[in-house]
Protein backbone atom coordinates (compact mmCIF):
# COMPACT_ATOMS: atom_id res chain seq x y z
CA UNK A 1 0.00 0.00 0.00
CA UNK A 2 2.98 2.38 0.45
CA UNK A 3 3.67 2.62 -3.29
CA UNK A 4 0.23 4.04 -4.33
CA UNK A 5 0.34 6.55 -1.45
CA UNK A 6 3.78 7.76 -2.60
CA UNK A 7 2.52 8.21 -6.18
CA UNK A 8 -0.45 10.30 -5.06
CA UNK A 9 1.67 12.61 -2.89
CA UNK A 10 4.21 13.04 -5.66
CA UNK A 11 1.43 14.07 -8.09
CA UNK A 12 0.11 16.64 -5.62
CA UNK A 13 3.59 18.13 -5.28
CA UNK A 14 3.95 18.37 -9.07
CA UNK A 15 0.58 20.14 -9.36
CA UNK A 16 1.71 22.47 -6.54
CA UNK A 17 -1.20 21.52 -4.37
CA UNK A 18 1.22 20.44 -1.63
CA UNK A 19 4.72 21.52 -0.83
CA UNK A 20 7.46 18.98 -0.42
CA UNK A 21 7.71 19.14 3.38
CA UNK A 22 3.97 18.71 3.84
CA UNK A 23 4.00 15.74 1.47
CA UNK A 24 6.82 14.08 3.38
CA UNK A 25 5.05 14.52 6.71
CA UNK A 26 1.79 13.16 5.25
CA UNK A 27 3.59 10.19 3.74
CA UNK A 28 5.22 9.31 7.03
CA UNK A 29 1.93 9.62 8.92
CA UNK A 30 0.19 7.36 6.44
CA UNK A 31 2.94 4.73 5.75
CA UNK A 32 3.95 4.11 9.38
CA UNK A 33 0.52 2.71 10.46
CA UNK A 34 0.32 0.71 7.27
CA UNK A 35 3.74 -0.78 7.95
CA UNK A 36 2.78 -1.58 11.54
CA UNK A 37 -0.37 -3.37 10.33
CA UNK A 38 1.60 -5.28 7.65
CA UNK A 39 4.20 -6.37 10.17
CA UNK A 40 1.49 -7.57 12.53
CA UNK A 41 -0.23 -9.62 9.84
CA UNK A 42 3.12 -10.90 8.60
CA UNK A 43 3.77 -12.22 12.10
CA UNK A 44 0.36 -13.90 12.07
CA UNK A 45 1.20 -15.52 8.75
CA UNK A 46 4.49 -16.83 10.13
CA UNK A 47 2.57 -18.29 13.07
CA UNK A 48 0.19 -20.05 10.67
CA UNK A 49 3.16 -21.36 8.70
CA UNK A 50 4.72 -22.77 11.91
CA UNK A 51 1.31 -24.29 12.77
CA UNK A 52 1.23 -25.97 9.36
CA UNK A 53 4.72 -27.33 10.00
CA UNK A 54 3.44 -28.89 13.25
CA UNK A 55 0.62 -30.48 11.24
CA UNK A 56 3.10 -31.95 8.80
CA UNK A 57 5.26 -33.28 11.65
CA UNK A 58 2.23 -35.03 13.23
CA UNK A 59 1.74 -33.12 16.51
CA UNK A 60 -0.86 -34.29 19.05
CA UNK A 61 -4.54 -33.47 18.56
CA UNK A 62 -4.59 -31.22 21.68
CA UNK A 63 -1.77 -29.08 20.29
CA UNK A 64 -3.51 -28.88 16.93
CA UNK A 65 -6.82 -27.74 18.42
CA UNK A 66 -5.22 -24.61 19.97
CA UNK A 67 -4.78 -21.58 17.64
CA UNK A 68 -1.24 -20.47 16.82
CA UNK A 69 0.17 -18.03 19.39
CA UNK A 70 0.35 -15.00 17.10
CA UNK A 71 -3.02 -15.68 15.45
CA UNK A 72 -5.11 -14.50 18.43
CA UNK A 73 -5.11 -10.91 17.22
CA UNK A 74 -6.05 -11.77 13.66
CA UNK A 75 -9.43 -13.34 12.95
CA UNK A 76 -8.43 -14.40 9.44
CA UNK A 77 -5.23 -16.08 10.61
CA UNK A 78 -7.06 -17.85 13.45
CA UNK A 79 -9.73 -19.17 11.09
CA UNK A 80 -7.04 -20.28 8.66
CA UNK A 81 -5.28 -22.19 11.44
CA UNK A 82 -8.51 -23.84 12.54
CA UNK A 83 -9.29 -24.81 8.96
CA UNK A 84 -5.84 -26.36 8.65
CA UNK A 85 -6.45 -28.31 11.87
CA UNK A 86 -9.80 -29.63 10.66
CA UNK A 87 -8.23 -30.63 7.34
CA UNK A 88 -5.45 -32.46 9.18
CA UNK A 89 -8.00 -34.35 11.28
CA UNK A 90 -9.96 -35.42 8.21
CA UNK A 91 -6.76 -36.57 6.52
CA UNK A 92 -5.80 -38.57 9.65
CA UNK A 93 -9.23 -40.25 9.75
CA UNK A 94 -8.99 -41.12 6.06
CA UNK A 95 -5.47 -42.49 6.57
CA UNK A 96 -6.70 -44.73 9.39
CA UNK A 97 -9.47 -46.02 7.15
CA UNK A 98 -7.00 -46.74 4.34
CA UNK A 99 -4.63 -48.50 6.78
CA UNK A 100 -7.49 -50.69 8.05
CA UNK A 101 -8.51 -51.57 4.49
CA UNK A 102 -4.90 -52.39 3.59
CA UNK A 103 -4.58 -54.65 6.66
CA UNK A 104 -7.83 -56.44 5.79
CA UNK A 105 -6.73 -56.87 2.16
CA UNK A 106 -3.39 -58.25 3.32
CA UNK A 107 -5.12 -60.75 5.62
CA UNK A 108 -7.38 -61.89 2.77
CA UNK A 109 -4.38 -62.13 0.42
CA UNK A 110 -2.39 -64.30 2.85
CA UNK A 111 -5.37 -66.54 3.65
CA UNK A 112 -6.03 -67.50 0.02
CA UNK A 113 -5.68 -71.30 -0.24
CA UNK A 114 -3.96 -71.24 -3.64
CA UNK A 115 -0.40 -69.91 -4.04
CA UNK A 116 -0.31 -66.39 -5.56
CA UNK A 117 2.56 -64.15 -6.69
CA UNK A 118 2.47 -60.50 -7.80
CA UNK A 119 5.23 -59.68 -10.31
CA UNK A 120 6.57 -56.42 -11.71
CA UNK A 121 7.51 -55.76 -15.33
CA UNK A 122 10.93 -57.37 -14.79
CA UNK A 123 9.38 -60.59 -13.42
CA UNK A 124 10.51 -59.67 -9.92
CA UNK A 125 8.26 -60.85 -7.07
CA UNK A 126 6.62 -57.91 -5.33
CA UNK A 127 4.49 -59.96 -2.95
CA UNK A 128 3.67 -63.62 -2.20
CA UNK A 129 0.95 -65.08 0.01
CA UNK A 130 1.44 -67.73 2.69
CA UNK A 131 0.45 -70.59 0.35
CA UNK A 132 3.16 -69.52 -2.11
CA UNK A 133 5.71 -69.44 0.73
CA UNK A 134 4.72 -73.00 1.69
CA UNK A 135 5.16 -74.14 -1.93
CA UNK A 136 8.35 -72.29 -2.93
CA UNK A 137 9.95 -71.31 0.39
CA UNK A 138 10.16 -68.21 2.53
CA UNK A 139 11.56 -64.74 1.62
CA UNK A 140 10.15 -64.62 -1.91
CA UNK A 141 9.64 -60.84 -2.13
CA UNK A 142 12.39 -59.15 -4.12
CA UNK A 143 13.55 -62.30 -5.88
CA UNK A 144 13.24 -62.89 -9.60
CA UNK A 145 10.73 -65.51 -10.70
CA UNK A 146 13.38 -67.58 -12.47
CA UNK A 147 15.17 -68.02 -9.12
CA UNK A 148 12.05 -69.59 -7.65
CA UNK A 149 10.55 -71.47 -10.59
CA UNK A 150 12.57 -72.53 -13.62
CA UNK A 151 9.82 -74.12 -15.71
CA UNK A 152 10.05 -72.63 -19.26
CA UNK A 153 6.30 -72.80 -19.97
CA UNK A 154 5.46 -70.76 -16.86
CA UNK A 155 8.16 -68.17 -17.57
CA UNK A 156 6.96 -67.82 -21.17
CA UNK A 157 3.35 -67.35 -20.02
CA UNK A 158 4.36 -64.57 -17.62
CA UNK A 159 6.50 -62.87 -20.27
CA UNK A 160 3.61 -63.00 -22.74
CA UNK A 161 1.15 -61.21 -20.45
CA UNK A 162 3.77 -58.64 -19.41
CA UNK A 163 4.47 -57.89 -23.06
CA UNK A 164 0.76 -57.38 -23.69
CA UNK A 165 0.52 -60.32 -26.02
CA UNK A 166 -2.35 -61.88 -24.05
CA UNK A 167 -4.66 -60.94 -21.23
CA UNK A 168 -4.03 -64.26 -19.50
CA UNK A 169 -2.19 -67.51 -20.07
CA UNK A 170 -2.64 -70.90 -18.40
CA UNK A 171 -0.19 -73.80 -18.46
CA UNK A 172 0.19 -77.12 -16.65
CA UNK A 173 3.56 -78.30 -15.37
CA UNK A 174 5.18 -80.75 -12.95
CA UNK A 175 7.27 -80.02 -9.85
CA UNK A 176 9.47 -83.11 -9.31
CA UNK A 177 10.70 -82.38 -5.75
CA UNK A 178 10.32 -83.06 -2.88
CA UNK A 179 7.52 -85.26 -4.27
CA UNK A 180 6.02 -85.13 -7.74
CA UNK A 181 3.26 -82.51 -7.98
CA UNK A 182 1.14 -81.59 -10.98
CA UNK A 183 0.19 -77.91 -11.00
CA UNK A 184 -1.71 -75.45 -13.16
CA UNK A 185 -0.35 -71.88 -13.41
CA UNK A 186 -2.42 -68.92 -14.61
CA UNK A 187 -0.76 -65.59 -15.45
CA UNK A 188 -2.92 -62.45 -15.73
CA UNK A 189 -1.55 -59.12 -16.95
CA UNK A 190 -2.30 -55.80 -15.22
CA UNK A 191 -1.88 -52.42 -16.94
CA UNK A 192 -2.64 -49.24 -14.94
CA UNK A 193 -2.56 -45.99 -16.93
CA UNK A 194 0.92 -45.10 -18.01
CA UNK A 195 2.62 -47.31 -15.44
CA UNK A 196 4.67 -50.34 -16.37
CA UNK A 197 2.66 -53.59 -16.59
CA UNK A 198 2.41 -56.08 -13.74
CA UNK A 199 1.31 -59.72 -13.57
CA UNK A 200 -0.56 -61.92 -11.12
CA UNK A 201 0.55 -65.56 -11.13
CA UNK A 202 -1.71 -68.10 -9.40
CA UNK A 203 -1.21 -71.84 -8.96
CA UNK A 204 -3.67 -74.70 -8.53
CA UNK A 205 -2.58 -78.11 -7.29
CA UNK A 206 -3.94 -80.74 -9.69
CA UNK A 207 -2.08 -83.65 -8.08
CA UNK A 208 -5.10 -85.14 -6.32
CA UNK A 209 -7.30 -84.79 -9.43
CA UNK A 210 -4.71 -86.33 -11.75
CA UNK A 211 -3.96 -89.16 -9.35
CA UNK A 212 -7.64 -89.89 -8.85
CA UNK A 213 -8.00 -90.22 -12.62
CA UNK A 214 -4.94 -92.44 -12.81
CA UNK A 215 -6.09 -94.54 -9.87
CA UNK A 216 -9.45 -95.20 -11.50
CA UNK A 217 -7.68 -96.39 -14.63
CA UNK A 218 -5.17 -98.48 -12.66
CA UNK A 219 -7.86 -99.99 -10.47
CA UNK A 220 -9.85 -101.14 -13.49
CA UNK A 221 -6.75 -102.57 -15.18
CA UNK A 222 -5.31 -104.23 -12.06
CA UNK A 223 -8.59 -105.50 -10.69
CA UNK A 224 -9.65 -106.96 -14.00
CA UNK A 225 -6.29 -108.75 -14.35
CA UNK A 226 -5.88 -110.02 -10.79
CA UNK A 227 -9.52 -110.88 -10.13
CA UNK A 228 -10.04 -112.76 -13.36
CA UNK A 229 -8.39 -115.99 -12.15
CA UNK A 230 -10.14 -116.34 -8.75
CA UNK A 231 -13.48 -115.36 -10.28
CA UNK A 232 -13.07 -117.94 -13.02
CA UNK A 233 -12.18 -120.51 -10.34
CA UNK A 234 -15.27 -119.67 -8.29
CA UNK A 235 -17.55 -119.83 -11.31
CA UNK A 236 -16.09 -123.21 -12.34
CA UNK A 237 -16.57 -124.78 -8.92
CA UNK A 238 -20.09 -123.36 -8.59
CA UNK A 239 -21.04 -124.90 -11.93
CA UNK A 240 -19.47 -128.22 -10.82
CA UNK A 241 -21.40 -128.21 -7.56
CA UNK A 242 -24.60 -127.43 -9.40
CA UNK A 243 -23.95 -130.24 -11.87
CA UNK A 244 -21.82 -133.40 -11.59
CA UNK A 245 -20.86 -132.91 -7.91
CA UNK A 246 -24.33 -132.03 -6.73
CA UNK A 247 -24.68 -135.20 -4.65
CA UNK A 248 -20.97 -135.75 -3.90
CA UNK A 249 -20.51 -134.59 -0.30
CA UNK A 250 -16.76 -135.25 -0.29
CA UNK A 251 -16.18 -133.18 -3.45
CA UNK A 252 -18.50 -130.48 -2.16
CA UNK A 253 -16.45 -130.02 1.01
CA UNK A 254 -13.19 -129.92 -0.93
CA UNK A 255 -14.56 -127.46 -3.52
CA UNK A 256 -16.06 -125.22 -0.86
CA UNK A 257 -12.66 -124.99 0.82
CA UNK A 258 -11.03 -123.94 -2.44
CA UNK A 259 -13.81 -121.43 -3.08
CA UNK A 260 -13.29 -119.95 0.36
CA UNK A 261 -9.57 -119.53 -0.32
CA UNK A 262 -10.28 -117.79 -3.63
CA UNK A 263 -12.88 -115.49 -2.06
CA UNK A 264 -10.45 -114.56 0.71
CA UNK A 265 -7.78 -113.87 -1.90
CA UNK A 266 -10.11 -111.49 -3.72
CA UNK A 267 -11.00 -109.78 -0.45
CA UNK A 268 -7.29 -109.25 0.36
CA UNK A 269 -6.65 -107.97 -3.15
CA UNK A 270 -9.48 -105.45 -3.01
CA UNK A 271 -8.45 -104.35 0.48
CA UNK A 272 -4.86 -103.76 -0.61
CA UNK A 273 -5.92 -101.95 -3.78
CA UNK A 274 -8.16 -99.61 -1.82
CA UNK A 275 -5.43 -99.03 0.76
CA UNK A 276 -2.87 -98.27 -1.94
CA UNK A 277 -5.26 -95.90 -3.70
CA UNK A 278 -5.89 -93.97 -0.47
CA UNK A 279 -2.17 -93.70 0.25
CA UNK A 280 -1.41 -92.47 -3.26
CA UNK A 281 -4.17 -89.89 -2.99
CA UNK A 282 -2.48 -88.31 0.07
CA UNK A 283 1.10 -88.96 -0.99
CA UNK A 284 1.85 -85.29 -1.82
CA UNK A 285 0.71 -84.13 1.65
CA UNK A 286 3.39 -84.77 4.30
CA UNK A 287 2.18 -85.90 7.76
CA UNK A 288 2.54 -83.64 10.79
CA UNK A 289 2.17 -85.97 13.80
CA UNK A 290 4.86 -87.54 15.98
CA UNK A 291 5.03 -91.32 16.23
CA UNK A 292 6.78 -93.51 18.80
CA UNK A 293 8.46 -96.12 16.59
CA UNK A 294 9.18 -98.51 19.45
CA UNK A 295 5.49 -98.61 20.45
CA UNK A 296 4.33 -99.02 16.83
CA UNK A 297 6.72 -101.92 16.19
CA UNK A 298 5.73 -103.53 19.49
CA UNK A 299 2.05 -103.55 18.52
CA UNK A 300 2.89 -105.16 15.16
CA UNK A 301 5.06 -107.83 16.80
CA UNK A 302 2.26 -108.68 19.20
CA UNK A 303 -0.14 -109.12 16.27
CA UNK A 304 2.20 -111.41 14.30
CA UNK A 305 3.70 -113.53 17.07
CA UNK A 306 1.13 -116.31 16.63
CA UNK A 307 1.68 -116.37 12.86
CA UNK A 308 5.44 -116.71 13.43
CA UNK A 309 4.96 -119.38 16.11
CA UNK A 310 2.92 -121.47 13.64
CA UNK A 311 6.15 -121.87 11.60
CA UNK A 312 8.36 -122.33 14.64
CA UNK A 313 9.75 -118.80 14.22
CA UNK A 314 10.22 -115.95 16.66
CA UNK A 315 10.42 -112.19 16.21
CA UNK A 316 13.41 -110.56 17.92
CA UNK A 317 13.50 -106.77 18.43
CA UNK A 318 16.71 -104.81 18.99
CA UNK A 319 16.49 -101.08 19.79
CA UNK A 320 18.35 -98.46 21.89
CA UNK A 321 16.86 -97.54 25.24
CA UNK A 322 16.02 -93.99 24.11
CA UNK A 323 14.59 -93.39 20.65
CA UNK A 324 13.45 -90.07 19.20
CA UNK A 325 9.97 -89.84 17.66
CA UNK A 326 9.52 -89.62 13.91
CA UNK A 327 7.20 -87.42 11.87
CA UNK A 328 4.40 -89.56 10.49
CA UNK A 329 0.98 -91.17 10.66
CA UNK A 330 0.90 -94.04 13.13
CA UNK A 331 -1.58 -96.23 11.20
CA UNK A 332 0.39 -95.94 7.96
CA UNK A 333 3.72 -96.73 9.64
CA UNK A 334 2.15 -99.73 11.36
CA UNK A 335 1.07 -100.89 7.90
CA UNK A 336 4.69 -100.56 6.69
CA UNK A 337 6.14 -102.56 9.60
CA UNK A 338 3.35 -105.14 9.35
CA UNK A 339 3.95 -105.73 5.63
CA UNK A 340 7.71 -106.10 6.09
CA UNK A 341 7.50 -108.44 9.11
CA UNK A 342 4.69 -110.44 7.50
CA UNK A 343 6.83 -110.95 4.39
CA UNK A 344 9.79 -112.01 6.53
CA UNK A 345 7.60 -114.65 8.22
CA UNK A 346 6.15 -115.89 4.92
CA UNK A 347 9.43 -116.14 3.04
CA UNK A 348 11.76 -117.03 5.93
CA UNK A 349 12.69 -120.63 6.62
CA UNK A 350 10.77 -122.41 9.38
CA UNK A 351 12.39 -122.40 12.82
CA UNK A 352 14.52 -119.33 12.05
CA UNK A 353 14.26 -115.89 13.65
CA UNK A 354 12.98 -112.64 12.17
CA UNK A 355 15.05 -109.75 13.49
CA UNK A 356 13.74 -106.17 13.74
CA UNK A 357 16.53 -103.65 14.43
CA UNK A 358 16.02 -99.96 15.19
CA UNK A 359 19.03 -97.61 15.11
CA UNK A 360 20.13 -94.02 14.62
CA UNK A 361 22.11 -93.96 11.36
CA UNK A 362 24.89 -91.49 10.72
CA UNK A 363 26.72 -90.23 7.67
CA UNK A 364 25.46 -91.37 4.28
CA UNK A 365 22.48 -93.21 5.73
CA UNK A 366 21.16 -90.04 7.38
CA UNK A 367 21.89 -87.90 4.32
CA UNK A 368 19.82 -90.30 2.22
CA UNK A 369 16.69 -88.35 3.13
CA UNK A 370 18.42 -85.03 3.83
CA UNK A 371 17.61 -84.92 7.55
CA UNK A 372 18.39 -86.74 10.82
CA UNK A 373 16.76 -90.13 10.49
CA UNK A 374 15.70 -93.28 12.25
CA UNK A 375 16.38 -96.65 10.57
CA UNK A 376 14.24 -99.77 11.01
CA UNK A 377 15.58 -103.01 9.51
CA UNK A 378 13.66 -106.28 9.12
CA UNK A 379 15.82 -109.35 8.39
CA UNK A 380 14.81 -112.91 7.58
CA UNK A 381 16.68 -116.19 7.05
CA UNK A 382 14.95 -117.16 3.83
CA UNK A 383 16.08 -118.17 0.35
CA UNK A 384 17.07 -114.64 -0.60
CA UNK A 385 16.29 -112.72 -3.77
CA UNK A 386 18.34 -112.64 -6.96
CA UNK A 387 19.96 -109.26 -7.64
CA UNK A 388 18.10 -108.65 -10.91
CA UNK A 389 14.77 -108.65 -9.10
CA UNK A 390 15.64 -106.08 -6.41
CA UNK A 391 14.94 -102.86 -8.41
CA UNK A 392 11.41 -104.03 -9.29
CA UNK A 393 10.22 -105.40 -5.96
CA UNK A 394 8.16 -102.28 -5.13
CA UNK A 395 6.23 -102.36 -8.42
CA UNK A 396 2.55 -103.27 -8.27
CA UNK A 397 1.92 -107.01 -8.65
CA UNK A 398 5.59 -107.75 -9.28
CA UNK A 399 6.43 -111.20 -7.87
CA UNK A 400 9.73 -113.08 -7.92
CA UNK A 401 7.80 -116.36 -7.74
CA UNK A 402 4.15 -115.81 -8.66
CA UNK A 403 2.97 -119.33 -7.77
CA UNK A 404 4.64 -119.28 -4.36
CA UNK A 405 3.41 -115.77 -3.63
CA UNK A 406 -0.20 -116.67 -4.39
CA UNK A 407 0.11 -119.89 -2.40
CA UNK A 408 1.27 -117.86 0.61
CA UNK A 409 -1.65 -115.44 0.26
CA UNK A 410 0.32 -112.52 -1.19
CA UNK A 411 -1.35 -109.92 -3.41
CA UNK A 412 1.80 -108.41 -4.93
CA UNK A 413 0.94 -105.00 -3.43
CA UNK A 414 2.64 -105.09 -0.02
CA UNK A 415 5.95 -103.50 -1.03
CA UNK A 416 4.18 -101.03 -3.34
CA UNK A 417 2.22 -99.85 -0.29
CA UNK A 418 5.47 -99.57 1.68
CA UNK A 419 7.05 -97.45 -1.05
CA UNK A 420 4.16 -94.99 -1.31
CA UNK A 421 3.81 -94.62 2.46
CA UNK A 422 7.53 -93.81 2.68
CA UNK A 423 7.19 -91.32 -0.18
CA UNK A 424 4.51 -89.49 1.79
CA UNK A 425 6.69 -89.57 4.92
CA UNK A 426 9.72 -88.29 2.95
CA UNK A 427 11.53 -91.50 3.86
CA UNK A 428 13.25 -94.20 1.84
CA UNK A 429 13.67 -97.98 1.54
CA UNK A 430 16.76 -100.07 0.85
CA UNK A 431 16.81 -103.80 0.09
CA UNK A 432 19.79 -106.09 0.61
CA UNK A 433 19.61 -109.78 -0.18
CA UNK A 434 21.90 -112.74 -0.70
CA UNK A 435 20.62 -115.90 -2.26
CA UNK A 436 20.51 -118.72 0.23
CA UNK A 437 21.16 -116.39 3.19
CA UNK A 438 18.12 -114.15 3.49
CA UNK A 439 17.05 -110.54 2.96
CA UNK A 440 17.08 -107.27 4.90
CA UNK A 441 14.60 -104.45 4.23
CA UNK A 442 15.59 -101.13 5.85
CA UNK A 443 13.23 -98.17 6.26
CA UNK A 444 14.63 -94.66 6.87
CA UNK A 445 12.24 -92.16 8.47
CA UNK A 446 12.92 -88.47 9.30
CA UNK A 447 13.16 -87.80 13.02
CA UNK A 448 11.08 -84.99 14.51
CA UNK A 449 12.78 -81.58 14.53
CA UNK A 450 15.14 -81.25 17.47
CA UNK A 451 14.66 -84.87 18.50
CA UNK A 452 18.24 -85.81 17.58
CA UNK A 453 20.90 -83.36 18.87
CA UNK A 454 23.49 -82.23 16.36
CA UNK A 455 26.97 -83.72 16.69
Amino acid sequence: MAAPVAVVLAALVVLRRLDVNTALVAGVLIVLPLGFMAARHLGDLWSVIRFAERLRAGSSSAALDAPPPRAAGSLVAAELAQALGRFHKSVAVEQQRLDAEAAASGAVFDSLPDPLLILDADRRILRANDAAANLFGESLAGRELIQVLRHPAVLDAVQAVLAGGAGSRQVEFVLPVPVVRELSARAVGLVRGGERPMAILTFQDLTAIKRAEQMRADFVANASHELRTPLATLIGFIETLQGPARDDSEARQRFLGIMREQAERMARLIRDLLSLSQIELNEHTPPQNRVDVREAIGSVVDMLQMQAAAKGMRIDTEAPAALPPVVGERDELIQVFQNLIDNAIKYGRPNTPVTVTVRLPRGDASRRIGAPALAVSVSDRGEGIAREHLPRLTERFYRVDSARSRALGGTGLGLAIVKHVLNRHRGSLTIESEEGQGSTFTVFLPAADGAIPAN
Side-chain angles (χ1 to χ4, degrees):
M1 293 181 66
V5 170
V7 172
V8 171
L9 292 175
L12 291 175
V13 171
V14 172
L15 295 174
R16 296 186 178 182
R17 300 294 180 88
L18 287 175
D19 57 26
V20 174
N21 292 330
T22 303
L24 289 173
V25 172
V28 170
L29 292 175
I30 294 172
V31 170
L32 281 177
L34 290 176
F36 177 75
M37 293 176 61
R40 180 182 178 186
H41 285 288
L42 184 61
D44 290 341
L45 289 176
W46 277 112
S47 295
V48 173
I49 290 172
R50 287 194 295 272
F51 183 70
E53 289 293 333
R54 294 204 307 272
L55 291 178
R56 186 170 67 86
S59 298
S60 65
S61 300
L64 297 178
D65 288 338
R70 295 291 302 276
S74 171
L75 181 61
V76 174
E79 290 180 352
L80 178 59
Q82 291 173 1
L84 285 173
R86 289 192 297 270
F87 175 73
H88 178 267
K89 286 183 178 180
S90 66
V91 170
V93 171
E94 181 65 15
Q95 185 62 47
Q96 290 176 354
R97 186 184 67 82
L98 292 176
D99 290 344
E101 290 183 355
S105 300
V108 172
F109 180 81
D110 287 332
S111 64
L112 292 174
D114 291 332
L116 188 149
L117 302 175
I118 298 179
L119 310 171
D120 65 11
D122 299 320
R123 298 193 309 192
R124 190 178 299 277
I125 299 173
L126 299 177
R127 186 164 181 183
N129 66 354
D130 292 343
N134 292 334
L135 180 62
F136 298 113
E138 301 291 339
S139 303
L140 294 175
R143 300 172 63 185
E144 294 185 4
L145 180 62
I146 195 171
Q147 296 177 310
V148 175
L149 182 62
R150 297 179 179 273
H151 200 281
V154 179
L155 299 176
D156 291 344
V158 171
Q159 192 61 42
V161 299
L162 289 174
S168 66
R169 287 284 184 91
Q170 187 165 349
V171 296
E172 293 185 5
F173 66 103
V174 176
L175 281 182
V177 293
V179 294
V180 177
R181 284 188 175 186
E182 299 188 51
L183 302 172
S184 172
R186 181 179 181 84
V188 179
L190 295 176
V191 180
R192 300 181 297 177
E195 298 182 11
R196 299 181 71 189
M198 300 170 61
I200 295 178
L201 186 60
T202 59
F203 300 88
Q204 182 182 6
D205 195 338
L206 304 178
T207 306
I209 298 174
K210 296 288 187 181
R211 289 190 176 178
E213 294 173 354
Q214 186 62 45
M215 281 189 294
R216 283 194 292 268
D218 290 344
F219 183 84
V220 172
N222 295 330
S224 63
H225 173 74
E226 292 293 325
L227 293 175
R228 185 179 297 117
T229 299
L231 279 175
T233 302
L234 284 174
I235 293 171
F237 280 119
I238 290 172
E239 291 176 349
T240 302
L241 290 173
Q242 289 177 334
R246 178 182 302 173
D247 300 322
D248 190 339
S249 60
E250 183 180 348
R252 182 168 59 249
Q253 291 300 317
R254 187 173 73 255
F255 292 164
L256 287 173
I258 297 174
M259 293 168 65
R260 180 186 177 89
E261 292 176 0
Q262 296 299 317
E264 289 175 347
R265 177 187 167 193
M266 286 192 294
R268 288 193 301 270
L269 179 62
I270 293 173
R271 182 190 63 235
D272 285 352
L273 279 172
L274 292 176
S275 177
L276 181 59
S277 297
Q278 183 62 40
I279 292 168
E280 287 181 328
L281 189 63
N282 298 322
E283 188 174 344
H284 64 288
T285 305
Q288 302 296 328
N289 299 325
R290 292 187 170 209
V291 179
D292 184 339
V293 172
R294 181 194 294 275
E295 184 275 332
I297 292 175
S299 65
V300 172
V301 171
D302 290 341
M303 282 190 295
L304 298 178
Q305 281 286 14
M306 292 185 63
Q307 179 180 335
K311 291 184 64 177
M313 305 171 73
R314 68 178 188 277
I315 304 174
D316 297 331
T317 303
E318 302 173 1
L323 285 174
V326 299
V327 180
E329 290 292 338
R330 181 179 182 276
D331 290 345
E332 292 185 0
L333 292 181
I334 283 180
Q335 192 170 15
V336 167
F337 302 142
Q338 183 174 347
N339 285 352
L340 294 179
I341 298 174
D342 180 67
N343 282 348
I345 295 172
K346 287 178 179 177
Y347 298 104
R349 296 189 185 95
N351 304 311
T352 61
V354 172
T355 305
V356 181
T357 305
V358 187
R359 57 189 172 87
L360 298 174
R362 302 294 181 187
D364 293 341
S366 186
R367 288 194 295 269
R368 181 184 301 276
I369 60 175
L374 205 66
V376 180
S377 299
V378 179
S379 303
D380 64 57
R381 303 294 186 270
E383 298 297 331
I385 304 168
R387 185 176 299 274
E388 62 267 21
H389 295 293
L390 298 181
R392 301 189 61 189
L393 287 180
T394 56
E395 294 180 12
R396 290 187 180 197
F397 300 110
Y398 186 81
R399 299 179 176 94
V400 177
D401 186 340
S402 298
R404 185 184 179 195
S405 175
R406 289 193 177 96
L408 294 173
T411 62
L413 294 173
L415 291 179
I417 291 173
V418 168
K419 179 185 75 172
H420 288 285
V421 169
L422 293 179
N423 285 345
R424 188 193 175 201
H425 285 68
R426 309 299 188 259
S428 66
L429 172 70
T430 62
I431 305 173
E432 300 173 352
S433 186
E434 184 177 351
E435 291 186 81
Q437 299 298 319
S439 305
T440 298
F441 292 76
T442 302
V443 169
F444 294 90
L445 294 167
D449 290 340
I452 298 180
N455 289 335

